[in-house]
PDB file of all heavy atoms in Angstrom:
ATOM      1  N   GLN A  31       5.545 -14.224   9.545  1.00 97.00           N
ATOM      2  CA  GLN A  31       4.752 -14.849   8.477  1.00 97.00           C
ATOM      3  C   GLN A  31       4.817 -14.022   7.198  1.00 97.00           C
ATOM      4  O   GLN A  31       4.960 -14.569   6.098  1.00 97.00           O
ATOM      5  CB  GLN A  31       3.302 -15.027   8.941  1.00 97.00           C
ATOM      6  CG  GLN A  31       3.142 -16.104  10.003  1.00 97.00           C
ATOM      7  CD  GLN A  31       1.807 -16.040  10.721  1.00 97.00           C
ATOM      8  OE1 GLN A  31       1.207 -14.965  10.834  1.00 97.00           O
ATOM      9  NE2 GLN A  31       1.346 -17.172  11.217  1.00 97.00           N
ATOM     10  N   GLU A  32       4.744 -12.712   7.351  1.00 97.00           N
ATOM     11  CA  GLU A  32       4.831 -11.854   6.165  1.00 97.00           C
ATOM     12  C   GLU A  32       6.208 -11.963   5.524  1.00 97.00           C
ATOM     13  O   GLU A  32       6.328 -12.029   4.298  1.00 97.00           O
ATOM     14  CB  GLU A  32       4.532 -10.400   6.529  1.00 97.00           C
ATOM     15  CG  GLU A  32       4.493  -9.491   5.314  1.00 97.00           C
ATOM     16  CD  GLU A  32       4.220  -8.038   5.657  1.00 97.00           C
ATOM     17  OE1 GLU A  32       4.277  -7.675   6.858  1.00 97.00           O
ATOM     18  OE2 GLU A  32       3.965  -7.263   4.724  1.00 97.00           O
ATOM     19  N   ALA A  33       7.259 -11.987   6.348  1.00 96.00           N
ATOM     20  CA  ALA A  33       8.622 -12.112   5.827  1.00 96.00           C
ATOM     21  C   ALA A  33       8.816 -13.437   5.094  1.00 96.00           C
ATOM     22  O   ALA A  33       9.602 -13.527   4.146  1.00 96.00           O
ATOM     23  CB  ALA A  33       9.635 -11.990   6.968  1.00 96.00           C
ATOM     24  N   ALA A  34       8.068 -14.463   5.529  1.00 97.00           N
ATOM     25  CA  ALA A  34       8.119 -15.776   4.871  1.00 97.00           C
ATOM     26  C   ALA A  34       7.164 -15.853   3.680  1.00 97.00           C
ATOM     27  O   ALA A  34       6.966 -16.926   3.105  1.00 97.00           O
ATOM     28  CB  ALA A  34       7.787 -16.868   5.880  1.00 97.00           C
ATOM     29  N   LEU A  35       6.557 -14.729   3.331  1.00 96.00           N
ATOM     30  CA  LEU A  35       5.640 -14.593   2.199  1.00 96.00           C
ATOM     31  C   LEU A  35       4.318 -15.336   2.412  1.00 96.00           C
ATOM     32  O   LEU A  35       3.594 -15.610   1.456  1.00 96.00           O
ATOM     33  CB  LEU A  35       6.292 -15.041   0.880  1.00 96.00           C
ATOM     34  CG  LEU A  35       7.672 -14.430   0.568  1.00 96.00           C
ATOM     35  CD1 LEU A  35       8.146 -14.882  -0.805  1.00 96.00           C
ATOM     36  CD2 LEU A  35       7.642 -12.912   0.649  1.00 96.00           C
ATOM     37  N   GLU A  37       1.289 -14.397   3.507  1.00 98.00           N
ATOM     38  CA  GLU A  37       0.539 -13.192   3.838  1.00 98.00           C
ATOM     39  C   GLU A  37      -0.873 -13.476   4.346  1.00 98.00           C
ATOM     40  O   GLU A  37      -1.414 -12.697   5.131  1.00 98.00           O
ATOM     41  CB  GLU A  37       0.521 -12.250   2.626  1.00 98.00           C
ATOM     42  CG  GLU A  37       1.901 -11.702   2.328  1.00 98.00           C
ATOM     43  CD  GLU A  37       1.945 -10.790   1.127  1.00 98.00           C
ATOM     44  OE1 GLU A  37       0.948 -10.700   0.396  1.00 98.00           O
ATOM     45  OE2 GLU A  37       3.001 -10.169   0.903  1.00 98.00           O
ATOM     46  N   LYS A  60      -0.863  -2.246   8.976  1.00 98.00           N
ATOM     47  CA  LYS A  60      -0.375  -3.437   8.293  1.00 98.00           C
ATOM     48  C   LYS A  60      -1.536  -4.287   7.766  1.00 98.00           C
ATOM     49  O   LYS A  60      -1.464  -4.838   6.658  1.00 98.00           O
ATOM     50  CB  LYS A  60       0.490  -4.261   9.242  1.00 98.00           C
ATOM     51  CG  LYS A  60       1.858  -3.671   9.518  1.00 98.00           C
ATOM     52  CD  LYS A  60       2.725  -3.560   8.269  1.00 98.00           C
ATOM     53  CE  LYS A  60       3.070  -4.901   7.680  1.00 98.00           C
ATOM     54  NZ  LYS A  60       3.963  -4.773   6.474  1.00 98.00           N
ATOM     55  N   ARG A  67      -3.209  -5.943  -0.773  1.00 97.00           N
ATOM     56  CA  ARG A  67      -2.462  -6.968  -1.501  1.00 97.00           C
ATOM     57  C   ARG A  67      -3.305  -8.214  -1.751  1.00 97.00           C
ATOM     58  O   ARG A  67      -3.368  -8.725  -2.875  1.00 97.00           O
ATOM     59  CB  ARG A  67      -1.212  -7.374  -0.702  1.00 97.00           C
ATOM     60  CG  ARG A  67      -0.074  -6.394  -0.793  1.00 97.00           C
ATOM     61  CD  ARG A  67       1.185  -7.045  -0.265  1.00 97.00           C
ATOM     62  NE  ARG A  67       1.988  -6.106   0.489  1.00 97.00           N
ATOM     63  CZ  ARG A  67       2.788  -6.428   1.488  1.00 97.00           C
ATOM     64  NH1 ARG A  67       2.895  -7.683   1.886  1.00 97.00           N
ATOM     65  NH2 ARG A  67       3.503  -5.514   2.104  1.00 97.00           N
ATOM     66  N   ARG A 145       7.197   4.119  -0.093  1.00 98.00           N
ATOM     67  CA  ARG A 145       5.959   3.597  -0.685  1.00 98.00           C
ATOM     68  C   ARG A 145       4.939   4.695  -0.944  1.00 98.00           C
ATOM     69  O   ARG A 145       4.133   4.594  -1.870  1.00 98.00           O
ATOM     70  CB  ARG A 145       5.392   2.481   0.198  1.00 98.00           C
ATOM     71  CG  ARG A 145       6.354   1.312   0.256  1.00 98.00           C
ATOM     72  CD  ARG A 145       5.764   0.007   0.649  1.00 98.00           C
ATOM     73  NE  ARG A 145       6.792  -1.025   0.531  1.00 98.00           N
ATOM     74  CZ  ARG A 145       6.548  -2.308   0.287  1.00 98.00           C
ATOM     75  NH1 ARG A 145       5.305  -2.716   0.148  1.00 98.00           N
ATOM     76  NH2 ARG A 145       7.525  -3.170   0.185  1.00 98.00           N
ATOM     77  N   GLU A 194      13.446   3.233  -0.911  1.00 96.00           N
ATOM     78  CA  GLU A 194      13.163   1.804  -0.718  1.00 96.00           C
ATOM     79  C   GLU A 194      13.683   1.044  -1.933  1.00 96.00           C
ATOM     80  O   GLU A 194      12.933   0.690  -2.848  1.00 96.00           O
ATOM     81  CB  GLU A 194      11.667   1.563  -0.507  1.00 96.00           C
ATOM     82  CG  GLU A 194      11.393   0.152  -0.040  1.00 96.00           C
ATOM     83  CD  GLU A 194      10.013  -0.030   0.572  1.00 96.00           C
ATOM     84  OE1 GLU A 194       9.327   0.973   0.814  1.00 96.00           O
ATOM     85  OE2 GLU A 194       9.644  -1.185   0.819  1.00 96.00           O
ATOM     86  N   PRO A 195      14.992   0.801  -1.950  1.00 95.00           N
ATOM     87  CA  PRO A 195      15.640   0.258  -3.154  1.00 95.00           C
ATOM     88  C   PRO A 195      15.293  -1.193  -3.477  1.00 95.00           C
ATOM     89  O   PRO A 195      15.606  -1.658  -4.572  1.00 95.00           O
ATOM     90  CB  PRO A 195      17.136   0.400  -2.830  1.00 95.00           C
ATOM     91  CG  PRO A 195      17.207   0.445  -1.343  1.00 95.00           C
ATOM     92  CD  PRO A 195      15.955   1.118  -0.887  1.00 95.00           C
ATOM     93  N   ASN A 196      14.658  -1.914  -2.551  1.00 95.00           N
ATOM     94  CA  ASN A 196      14.319  -3.318  -2.799  1.00 95.00           C
ATOM     95  C   ASN A 196      12.820  -3.523  -2.985  1.00 95.00           C
ATOM     96  O   ASN A 196      12.284  -4.571  -2.615  1.00 95.00           O
ATOM     97  CB  ASN A 196      14.832  -4.182  -1.639  1.00 95.00           C
ATOM     98  CG  ASN A 196      16.346  -4.152  -1.535  1.00 95.00           C
ATOM     99  OD1 ASN A 196      17.033  -4.267  -2.542  1.00 95.00           O
ATOM    100  ND2 ASN A 196      16.868  -3.979  -0.337  1.00 95.00           N
ATOM    101  N   PHE A 197      12.165  -2.572  -3.566  1.00 97.00           N
ATOM    102  CA  PHE A 197      10.717  -2.599  -3.786  1.00 97.00           C
ATOM    103  C   PHE A 197      10.475  -3.005  -5.240  1.00 97.00           C
ATOM    104  O   PHE A 197      10.536  -2.190  -6.156  1.00 97.00           O
ATOM    105  CB  PHE A 197      10.150  -1.214  -3.477  1.00 97.00           C
ATOM    106  CG  PHE A 197       8.655  -1.088  -3.529  1.00 97.00           C
ATOM    107  CD1 PHE A 197       7.828  -2.194  -3.607  1.00 97.00           C
ATOM    108  CD2 PHE A 197       8.066   0.163  -3.496  1.00 97.00           C
ATOM    109  CE1 PHE A 197       6.448  -2.067  -3.646  1.00 97.00           C
ATOM    110  CE2 PHE A 197       6.690   0.320  -3.534  1.00 97.00           C
ATOM    111  CZ  PHE A 197       5.885  -0.801  -3.616  1.00 97.00           C
ATOM    112  N   ALA A 198      10.207  -4.289  -5.451  1.00 97.00           N
ATOM    113  CA  ALA A 198      10.135  -4.842  -6.810  1.00 97.00           C
ATOM    114  C   ALA A 198       9.068  -4.170  -7.658  1.00 97.00           C
ATOM    115  O   ALA A 198       9.303  -3.860  -8.838  1.00 97.00           O
ATOM    116  CB  ALA A 198       9.877  -6.345  -6.743  1.00 97.00           C
ATOM    117  N   ILE A 227      16.306  -8.650  -7.167  1.00 96.00           N
ATOM    118  CA  ILE A 227      15.716  -8.100  -5.950  1.00 96.00           C
ATOM    119  C   ILE A 227      15.136  -9.238  -5.106  1.00 96.00           C
ATOM    120  O   ILE A 227      14.347 -10.044  -5.591  1.00 96.00           O
ATOM    121  CB  ILE A 227      14.616  -7.071  -6.288  1.00 96.00           C
ATOM    122  CG1 ILE A 227      15.225  -5.884  -7.046  1.00 96.00           C
ATOM    123  CG2 ILE A 227      13.921  -6.587  -5.032  1.00 96.00           C
ATOM    124  CD1 ILE A 227      14.200  -4.891  -7.549  1.00 96.00           C
ATOM    125  N   ALA A 228      15.532  -9.280  -3.844  1.00 95.00           N
ATOM    126  CA  ALA A 228      15.047 -10.333  -2.947  1.00 95.00           C
ATOM    127  C   ALA A 228      13.542 -10.186  -2.752  1.00 95.00           C
ATOM    128  O   ALA A 228      13.039  -9.071  -2.574  1.00 95.00           O
ATOM    129  CB  ALA A 228      15.763 -10.242  -1.602  1.00 95.00           C
ATOM    130  N   PRO A 229      12.783 -11.287  -2.790  1.00 94.00           N
ATOM    131  CA  PRO A 229      11.323 -11.201  -2.623  1.00 94.00           C
ATOM    132  C   PRO A 229      10.933 -10.731  -1.230  1.00 94.00           C
ATOM    133  O   PRO A 229      11.451 -11.237  -0.229  1.00 94.00           O
ATOM    134  CB  PRO A 229      10.855 -12.637  -2.872  1.00 94.00           C
ATOM    135  CG  PRO A 229      12.056 -13.487  -2.615  1.00 94.00           C
ATOM    136  CD  PRO A 229      13.240 -12.657  -3.003  1.00 94.00           C
ATOM    137  N   LYS A 230      10.046  -9.741  -1.189  1.00 94.00           N
ATOM    138  CA  LYS A 230       9.574  -9.202   0.095  1.00 94.00           C
ATOM    139  C   LYS A 230       8.072  -9.346   0.262  1.00 94.00           C
ATOM    140  O   LYS A 230       7.550  -9.192   1.355  1.00 94.00           O
ATOM    141  CB  LYS A 230       9.976  -7.727   0.212  1.00 94.00           C
ATOM    142  CG  LYS A 230      11.480  -7.502   0.224  1.00 94.00           C
ATOM    143  CD  LYS A 230      11.839  -6.064   0.533  1.00 94.00           C
ATOM    144  CE  LYS A 230      11.619  -5.741   1.988  1.00 94.00           C
ATOM    145  NZ  LYS A 230      12.065  -4.372   2.331  1.00 94.00           N
ATOM    146  N   THR A 231       7.358  -9.606  -0.828  1.00 95.00           N
ATOM    147  CA  THR A 231       5.916  -9.836  -0.757  1.00 95.00           C
ATOM    148  C   THR A 231       5.574 -11.049  -1.613  1.00 95.00           C
ATOM    149  O   THR A 231       6.356 -11.468  -2.480  1.00 95.00           O
ATOM    150  CB  THR A 231       5.101  -8.626  -1.265  1.00 95.00           C
ATOM    151  OG1 THR A 231       5.097  -8.622  -2.701  1.00 95.00           O
ATOM    152  CG2 THR A 231       5.673  -7.304  -0.759  1.00 95.00           C
ATOM    153  N   ALA A 232       4.394 -11.599  -1.372  1.00 95.00           N
ATOM    154  CA  ALA A 232       3.950 -12.755  -2.150  1.00 95.00           C
ATOM    155  C   ALA A 232       3.657 -12.390  -3.603  1.00 95.00           C
ATOM    156  O   ALA A 232       3.485 -13.274  -4.449  1.00 95.00           O
ATOM    157  CB  ALA A 232       2.709 -13.368  -1.500  1.00 95.00           C
ATOM    158  N   ASP A 233       3.605 -11.099  -3.913  1.00 96.00           N
ATOM    159  CA  ASP A 233       3.360 -10.640  -5.287  1.00 96.00           C
ATOM    160  C   ASP A 233       4.633 -10.601  -6.120  1.00 96.00           C
ATOM    161  O   ASP A 233       4.563 -10.484  -7.345  1.00 96.00           O
ATOM    162  CB  ASP A 233       2.756  -9.229  -5.278  1.00 96.00           C
ATOM    163  CG  ASP A 233       1.329  -9.213  -4.784  1.00 96.00           C
ATOM    164  OD1 ASP A 233       0.595 -10.172  -5.068  1.00 96.00           O
ATOM    165  OD2 ASP A 233       0.951  -8.242  -4.103  1.00 96.00           O
ATOM    166  N   ASP A 234       5.786 -10.669  -5.476  1.00 97.00           N
ATOM    167  CA  ASP A 234       7.036 -10.399  -6.192  1.00 97.00           C
ATOM    168  C   ASP A 234       7.329 -11.406  -7.299  1.00 97.00           C
ATOM    169  O   ASP A 234       7.908 -11.044  -8.329  1.00 97.00           O
ATOM    170  CB  ASP A 234       8.201 -10.309  -5.204  1.00 97.00           C
ATOM    171  CG  ASP A 234       8.184  -9.012  -4.398  1.00 97.00           C
ATOM    172  OD1 ASP A 234       7.289  -8.168  -4.658  1.00 97.00           O
ATOM    173  OD2 ASP A 234       9.034  -8.835  -3.509  1.00 97.00           O
ATOM    174  N   ALA A 235       6.944 -12.664  -7.100  1.00 96.00           N
ATOM    175  CA  ALA A 235       7.158 -13.669  -8.155  1.00 96.00           C
ATOM    176  C   ALA A 235       6.370 -13.286  -9.411  1.00 96.00           C
ATOM    177  O   ALA A 235       6.885 -13.358 -10.531  1.00 96.00           O
ATOM    178  CB  ALA A 235       6.753 -15.053  -7.665  1.00 96.00           C
ATOM    179  N   LYS A 238       7.994 -10.213 -11.071  1.00 97.00           N
ATOM    180  CA  LYS A 238       9.203 -10.563 -11.826  1.00 97.00           C
ATOM    181  C   LYS A 238       8.856 -11.294 -13.121  1.00 97.00           C
ATOM    182  O   LYS A 238       9.512 -11.099 -14.148  1.00 97.00           O
ATOM    183  CB  LYS A 238      10.122 -11.415 -10.951  1.00 97.00           C
ATOM    184  CG  LYS A 238      10.755 -10.634  -9.805  1.00 97.00           C
ATOM    185  CD  LYS A 238      11.657 -11.508  -8.959  1.00 97.00           C
ATOM    186  CE  LYS A 238      12.275 -10.696  -7.827  1.00 97.00           C
ATOM    187  NZ  LYS A 238      13.213 -11.494  -7.001  1.00 97.00           N
TER     188      LYS A 238
END
Side-chain angles (χ1 to χ4, degrees):
Q31 289 165 332
E32 185 181 12
L35 309 184
E37 293 179 351
K60 286 298 295 182
R67 282 194 218 151
R145 297 201 175 208
E194 191 163 350
N196 296 315
F197 185 11
I227 297 174
K230 297 188 74 175
T231 79
D233 289 325
D234 286 357
K238 290 180 180 182

